[in-house]
Amino acid sequence: MHDHGLGSWMATRRLKTPEKTALVFDDGQELTYRELAEMADIVAANLVRRDTGPGDRVAYLGENSPDFLAALFGTVQIGAVFVPVNTRLAPPEIQHVFTDSGARVLIHDAEFSARVSDVVSSVAHVIAAGSAHEWEASAPREAVGVPRQRNSEDAPAALDRPAAILYTSGTTGKPKGAVLTHGNLTWAALNAIIDYDIVSTDVALMISPLFHVASLGMGALPIIIKGGTLVLEKRFDPGRALALIEHHGVSMLSGVPTTYQLLCDHPDWAATDVSNMRKLTCGGSAVPSRVLNAYEERGLSFSQGYGMTETAPGATLLAPERTREKQGSVGVPHFFTDVRIAGEDGRAVPSGTVGEIEISGPNVFAGYHGRPQATTEAFTADGWFRSGDLGYLDGDGVLYISDRLKDMIISGGENIYPAEIENLINDMDGVTGVAVIGVPDERWGEVPWAVLTVRDGITIDTDQVRAHLDGRLARYKVPAKTVIVDELPRTASGKIRKADLRVRFAPSI
């Protein structure tokens, strides 16, 4: 049966545009769509030889590279499920992804060999990805506690089959795996193509990691389905990024406000030819006026948006021509997506009224892997996804974000959930109470602070908290500052009033 999912994309691109440049990487090396398709075939063959097939999970740990995309397309073309791993995670966090997803195979960049050596006990096969077409693999091992859970069918033909599991931090302290189907990722790509007006001549600079759903779902996949060109960067350096923008005639760039601020603050900004850049997309938080001004002075403007892993990721988009008119908003729903605002009783509220943002559309995820209760709780009775964020629609149907029900912190585009950090700090001797809050930061948008109560005679400072968390959490999750207070403000039921703490400490920076 014909494969209508992502597994067919490479074969189709090889047929339509075999000699078109698909990827530019490592200071100018290029791969055509034919060569990328061949790499994906090699990955698929490696997986099949290791008894990996439909329904099996294949984890990938590595930075932006041709190997990442070859692993993705090689995985999905045999019906397996791709699990990209955030390279910034600490070993225990990486192990959780392997274990929770039930990954049978791990493919990783060679530079991560040391990091994965102690956390792959649950993985049956480990494959080290080499440059270009070179792949090596360890001898097969028996997986520990990993059920096979394989389907009997051949390749997936339906868009409702799982294509990827992307992990998003949860309020309970353990990241949850959002299951994105072939349809979710395809419709998200179509949303981007329509609303960003992506064309086959576009050249997109990928400075954000592909393991993030925004970079993958709204950047790489739309460009690939249109047959454009991706310029892959492993890490973001503003000076180097500006040089690449000029050299390759980059037309599309995605990032967070910090990304764009660092670019326009760089000494090379004024002299860089940015005349081809017509698609600048930004998410994570609002773009400051100072940054908007710097880009408008160069004839550039932004598409700002709102979304999350569960929406693959786009939910809304503020078009560049409305940036000033609707400044502070996140725009209107994407073409194939709907947004509504619900009150506490679950009913839709009038425009201008704050309520929970609910999202519907073919880009909305299938559920959380292995967590049926969390999946049920994430949806309304009539099938709308409950975002956990508060906002309102104005009279023009434009969405404004008011607050977060989940207390999520967004720091430099990374989602941070306080409960995960609080659970670890609570293990420290002498801590009697802890609340992690987001405090405004000029560079990162927000940074986490830890507010503690401690036993009499105990002193705990920022350095001690950092030392306790070192190696157990990604560095961006470690609190920038620790504050000791006599008492944490609480509700009558004993819940900490974090809003009070944010008001108290925000003015102190």
Side-chain angles (χ1 to χ4, degrees):
M1 187 177 293
H2 182 64
D3 181 359
H4 295 286
L6 274 68
S8 68
W9 286 22
M10 283 297 100
T12 303
R13 273 283 138 233
R14 176 163 45 194
L15 178 66
K16 288 180 174 291
T17 55
E19 302 310 316
K20 174 72 180 293
T21 298
L23 308 178
V24 180
F25 60 102
D26 288 351
D27 295 322
Q29 294 187 58
E30 296 184 1
L31 281 178
T32 64
Y33 275 102
R34 174 181 54 78
E35 291 170 325
L36 180 58
E38 289 172 355
M39 287 184 65
D41 289 344
I42 291 170
V43 174
N46 268 272
L47 295 175
V48 170
R49 282 200 299 269
R50 286 157 183 82
D51 193 28
T52 304
D56 286 331
R57 273 76 67 196
V58 177
Y60 185 90
L61 179 66
E63 307 290 358
N64 291 359
S65 72
D67 289 324
F68 185 106
L69 293 168
L72 164 63
F73 287 108
T75 296
V76 296
Q77 76 183 42
I78 65 166
V81 181
F82 188 65
V83 185
V85 183
N86 187 331
T87 60
R88 300 176 66 183
L89 297 181
E93 297 170 303
I94 294 173
Q95 179 64 72
H96 170 73
V97 173
F98 294 162
T99 304
D100 188 76
S101 68
R104 175 171 174 76
V105 178
L106 166 65
I107 303 172
H108 67 90
D109 283 354
E111 64 184 279
F112 293 98
S113 297
R115 191 185 301 188
V116 303
S117 61
D118 296 328
V119 293
V120 293
S121 59
S122 61
V123 180
H125 303 274
V126 180
I127 302 175
S131 61
H133 298 69
E134 299 174 0
W135 292 78
E136 297 178 354
S138 67
R141 298 179 297 151
E142 287 297 322
V144 179
V146 181
R148 298 287 286 124
Q149 297 181 7
R150 293 202 27 202
N151 300 320
S152 59
E153 297 89 346
D154 293 327
L159 292 175
D160 61 358
R161 298 283 183 85
I165 301 175
L166 280 81
Y167 276 77
T168 177
S169 296
T171 54
T172 58
K174 283 289 187 182
K176 300 191 293 290
V179 179
L180 299 179
T181 66
H182 290 263
N184 293 153
L185 292 169
T186 300
W187 286 104
L190 292 176
N191 272 340
I193 289 168
I194 293 169
D195 289 336
Y196 297 147
D197 196 21
I198 294 173
V199 293
S200 61
T201 54
D202 273 324
V203 178
L205 175 59
M206 307 306 298
I207 53 177
S208 300
L210 290 171
F211 55 69
H212 276 317
V213 70
S215 186
L216 181 65
M218 302 296 281
L221 294 183
I223 288 290
I224 289 172
I225 201 173
K226 282 296 293 185
T229 299
L230 296 171
V231 180
L232 300 178
E233 278 287 278
K234 289 188 175 182
R235 296 168 185 85
F236 172 56
D237 175 85
R240 178 175 167 82
L242 289 171
L244 292 171
I245 287 169
E246 178 170 304
H247 181 73
H248 295 290
V250 168
S251 61
M252 183 172 176
L253 183 67
S254 301
V256 296
T258 302
T259 304
Y260 290 108
Q261 178 179 324
L262 291 172
L263 287 173
C264 68
D265 285 345
H266 194 274
D268 294 340
W269 168 251
T272 300
D273 181 358
V274 296
S275 58
N276 286 322
M277 286 212 298
R278 289 293 175 263
K279 301 176 180 72
L280 303 179
T281 67
C282 187
S285 57
V287 180
S289 293
R290 181 177 72 85
V291 177
L292 287 175
N293 293 338
Y295 281 78
E296 288 175 351
E297 288 172 1
R298 302 293 311 275
L300 306 176
S301 55
F302 292 91
S303 297
Q304 300 179 62
Y306 163 75
M308 58 208 70
T309 304
E310 290 89 341
T311 57
T316 68
L317 172 76
L318 179 65
E321 59 269 21
R322 307 187 79 181
T323 295
R324 289 297 186 178
E325 173 199 357
K326 297 294 184 178
Q327 188 170 353
S329 81
V330 292
V332 299
H334 276 290
F335 196 89
F336 294 109
T337 306
D338 292 306
V339 170
R340 71 184 185 187
I341 306 297
E344 292 184 3
D345 60 359
R347 298 176 180 272
V349 298
S351 61
T353 304
V354 174
E356 183 174 9
I357 301 166
E358 296 179 348
I359 305 162
S360 178
N363 57 306
V364 176
F365 79 137
Y368 295 111
H369 176 72
R371 302 195 184 194
Q373 182 176 347
T375 299
T376 299
E377 293 171 353
F379 289 90
T380 64
D382 56 348
W384 288 64
F385 171 62
R386 302 183 59 189
S387 72
D389 293 328
L390 296 173
Y392 65 92
L393 296 171
D394 70 8
D396 297 321
V398 177
L399 179 64
Y400 289 78
I401 307 297
S402 300
D403 204 346
R404 304 183 184 106
L405 287 178
K406 300 177 181 177
D407 288 326
M408 184 175 71
I409 301 166
I410 301 179
S411 183
E414 297 280 4
N415 293 348
I416 301 173
Y417 283 85
E420 182 181 18
I421 308 169
E422 291 165 352
N423 289 344
L424 293 174
I425 293 177
N426 267 323
D427 290 337
M428 295 183 67
D429 184 41
V431 172
T432 59
V434 56
V436 173
I437 60 171
V439 173
D441 180 84
E442 183 176 353
R443 180 173 185 181
W444 301 113
E446 290 180 298
V447 293
W449 280 26
V451 184
L452 312 182
T453 56
V454 298
R455 290 201 310 264
D456 290 341
I458 296 292
T459 300
I460 295 177
D461 59 22
T462 300
D463 289 340
Q464 289 172 290
V465 171
R466 288 177 175 171
H468 177 74
L469 299 177
D470 185 36
R472 304 173 73 184
L473 285 176
R475 291 185 179 180
Y476 65 85
K477 299 179 184 179
V478 176
K481 186 172 182 178
T482 298
V483 180
I484 305 298
V485 296
D486 294 331
E487 186 178 7
L488 291 169
R490 297 180 183 273
T491 64
S493 63
K495 294 182 179 179
I496 298 173
R497 297 199 303 265
K498 291 188 176 180
D500 292 1
L501 293 174
R502 285 192 286 267
V503 170
R504 175 178 174 182
F505 291 109
S508 65
I509 65 169

